Amino acid sequence: MSYDHGFKAQLAGFSLTTAEILYRLPDHPSLLQSYIWQEYDSAPRFPKLKSFLDFWTAKLEGKLYKVTVTHSKLIRPAELRLVGAELKVH
């Protein structure tokens, strides 16, 4: 059976989170560069994103300028319904 981490995360209440991170280039601080981060995370606190941003500020040279976050709940447990019977047609 195939293992789908994203599907299990959605059933557990996580939602797909996308963050656009604008940061200053270390050699040219007047220029901004964009980085897209995407992961299943828990809204509204976003612990995985916060952990990533903490890593960024501690280990990377590009100073953060702006972070824009969006998320979408793709599947919620209330939307999942078990079917009582299955019919097969040739």
Side-chain angles (χ1 to χ4, degrees):
M1 189 170 219
S2 172
Y3 178 75
D4 185 3
H5 172 71
F7 183 70
K8 282 184 91 172
Q10 291 173 51
L11 289 177
F14 288 82
S15 59
L16 186 62
T17 304
T18 304
E20 180 187 21
I21 301 167
L22 291 177
Y23 64 97
R24 296 192 181 276
L25 294 176
D27 296 338
H28 304 283
S30 61
L31 297 177
L32 295 175
Q33 180 79 23
S34 176
Y35 179 81
I36 302 296
W37 178 91
Q38 192 171 53
E39 182 67 59
Y40 288 98
D41 208 351
S42 177
R45 295 193 183 265
F46 302 108
K48 289 183 180 182
L49 176 60
K50 184 178 181 323
S51 174
F52 178 75
L53 294 175
D54 289 344
F55 164 79
W56 184 298
T57 56
K59 303 288 183 183
L60 301 179
E61 292 183 25
K63 186 176 178 182
L64 295 175
Y65 176 76
K66 178 181 174 183
V67 178
T68 304
V69 180
T70 61
H71 68 94
S72 173
K73 289 194 176 197
L74 301 176
I75 297 176
R76 287 175 270 159
E79 293 176 357
L80 185 63
R81 188 170 49 118
L82 299 176
V83 177
E86 180 179 337
L87 301 173
K88 291 185 179 182
V89 179
H90 304 280

